[in-house]
Amino acid sequence: MKEKQMNWFGFGFNGFGQIITGDVKCKVNTPVLLSDARGSDCRVSWSSRAAVIHTDSGSRVCVSGFVRRSSGQVCVPESEGCTDASISERHVTISFTSRVECWEIQQAQNRLVWSREQESSGQDVALPLVPGGYVVPRPPFFRPLCAKLCAVSLALGTEHAVLLTASGTVFTWGSGSHGQLGHGHLASQEEAQIVEALWGVQIAAVSAGGWHSASVSAGGDLYMWGWNESGQLGLPSQSVEEEKLRARRTGDTLVLADAYKGSKDLCVASCGFGNVDLAVNQAEEKNKDDVFISIQAFPALVDIPQVSEITQVACGSRHTAAVTGTGDLYTWGWGSYGQLGHDTEHSTDEPTQVKYFHSHDMRVQDVVCGLWNTFVSAVPHERSSHKHRHTE
């Protein structure tokens, strides 16, 4: 059977050509095919995107975006034969079978700044995890982890970390200023501490964003906690509601201005709009009674209507993306750079399907969030070869 071609798509912040090279436009608000990342794994930072390309002859890392002020894709020759990689603003971390290295990629020539020999731990773990600990984007690059944790996955946010153990338990540490640790308070935590609210729930995947966190249970339930300023938790957000009201006011103003164009009453329309102001004011009064959530310090179950199972989740600075069991993509949160993929730059606190993949008959397999953008791998939907038989 012929293997289906996996394609990567990107949308959101493109200020350094991470998505579209050449004639760079800062915002991409609908998915765009990445021609240089087919059959690869995607890693992203704020200004760059790394593709870990696997071929029959080996693996290598190629970087797009802000890399030594060059345009297009730059391959990292020191990465030949790598097993995994991650990227930050100044460094690319490369994992090999017997060692892990950190290279500075913004110099005229790549410069090795840190290296560590490693022995096989018997576990297949991905960066930033390495045997005995994990790697961060700044010195000291290596941080130890207690072996008793049996870590299988680690997500690093802007100021915090979310770890998943082999038993399906979640631990967090770092800054708790926005409730992103999930311990019910806003205090920071230097050592890994279990998220007790998820105790007894078998967790299969975790993610960490700017100041929010997410986890997916083995049964496909989505739990989120932390900062909800832009609706990134999928919970009611005051700033999102205010954005809707501003859009409603602007939209109605444009409609009435067009209706009054050429009329002697134009000044009335542009200076008050009578009924429009009244309607918006009534909506504002109504919204005063709504309950908005700025910080959710405990994990909250996120309900996505008509979705029975979530398989993957990824967090950006202030937005979230999730893949469903049927291969659909949902996004929500801050959308000012088009990172939600809804062909708008509006934010939303309601998980909303990205229609592009459904309309192109594609099944989403993976999602990775940068701070202000989103990258998605998708394959064509399988079509049934069985024909219906009609009996008389």
Side-chain angles (χ1 to χ4, degrees), residues 204-218:
V206 295
S207 182
W211 298 271
H212 69 294
S213 307
S215 66
V216 179
S217 74

Side-chain angles (χ1 to χ4, degrees), residues 98-293:
S98 60
R99 71 189 188 281
V100 58
E101 298 176 344
C102 188
W103 290 82
E104 189 170 6
I105 56 175
Q106 300 301 352
Q107 301 293 320
Q109 296 293 328
N110 294 341
R111 184 169 66 94
L112 181 65
V113 295
W114 176 79
S115 180
R116 183 175 188 269
E117 298 297 318
Q118 59 181 8
E119 298 179 359
S120 176
S121 63
Q123 289 183 304
D124 183 18
V125 295
L127 288 172
L129 285 176
V130 294
Y134 62 103
V135 181
V136 297
R138 63 192 67 85
F141 293 103
F142 177 77
R143 309 289 174 88
L145 271 178
C146 177
K148 294 181 179 180
L149 288 175
C150 298
V152 296
S153 177
L154 176 65
L156 299 179
T158 300
E159 300 176 328
H160 73 294
V162 183
L163 181 143
L164 177 65
T165 71
S167 64
T169 305
V170 178
F171 288 78
T172 60
W173 66 92
S175 171
S177 60
H178 294 76
Q180 64 265 47
L181 300 185
H183 301 317
H185 52 70
L186 308 185
S188 297
Q189 184 72 36
E190 291 187 5
E191 301 294 331
Q193 180 176 329
I194 189 171
V195 180
E196 294 183 358
L198 294 175
W199 181 257
V201 180
Q202 182 79 18
I203 300 299
V206 295
S207 182
W211 298 271
H212 69 294
S213 307
S215 66
V216 179
S217 74
D221 291 326
L222 175 62
Y223 296 88
M224 300 198 69
W225 60 96
W227 200 27
N228 192 51
E229 187 272 343
S230 298
Q232 58 263 49
L233 302 187
L235 303 174
S237 165
Q238 184 171 359
S239 67
V240 171
E241 191 61 32
E242 290 173 350
E243 180 181 317
K244 291 178 183 177
L245 289 172
R246 287 194 299 272
R248 186 183 309 165
R249 185 186 294 272
T250 302
D252 289 342
T253 297
L254 292 175
V255 169
L256 280 179
D258 185 63
Y260 277 94
K261 190 176 297 181
S263 168
K264 65 180 180 180
D265 296 327
L266 178 59
C267 65
V268 176
S270 63
C271 299
F273 294 106
N275 292 335
V276 175
D277 278 342
L278 177 61
V280 173
N281 288 336
Q282 288 176 341
E284 290 173 343
E285 287 296 324
K286 176 181 179 296
N287 290 329
K288 288 180 180 179
D289 297 328
D290 292 341
V291 176
F292 298 114
I293 298 173

Side-chain angles (χ1 to χ4, degrees), residues 348-363:
T348 179
D349 53 15
E350 298 178 5
T352 305
Q353 184 182 16
V354 179
K355 296 180 180 179
Y356 177 92
F357 299 102
H358 182 76
S359 64
H360 285 74
D361 199 25
M362 302 195 77
R363 179 184 179 89

Side-chain angles (χ1 to χ4, degrees), residues 295-372:
I295 289 177
Q296 174 68 35
F298 282 113
L301 180 63
V302 179
D303 177 47
I304 304 179
Q306 300 179 344
V307 172
S308 60
E309 180 187 17
I310 296 295
T311 58
Q312 296 185 57
V313 63
C315 299
S317 174
R318 287 184 285 159
H319 76 288
T320 306
V323 181
T324 71
T326 55
D328 293 314
L329 179 71
Y330 282 74
T331 60
W332 59 97
W334 187 46
S336 293
Y337 282 97
Q339 61 264 52
L340 302 186
H342 300 151
D343 202 20
T344 72
E345 294 165 14
H346 297 310
S347 301
T348 179
D349 53 15
E350 298 178 5
T352 305
Q353 184 182 16
V354 179
K355 296 180 180 179
Y356 177 92
F357 299 102
H358 182 76
S359 64
H360 285 74
D361 199 25
M362 302 195 77
R363 179 184 179 89
V364 174
Q365 293 191 320
D366 196 8
V367 61
V368 178
C369 286
L371 291 179
W372 300 350

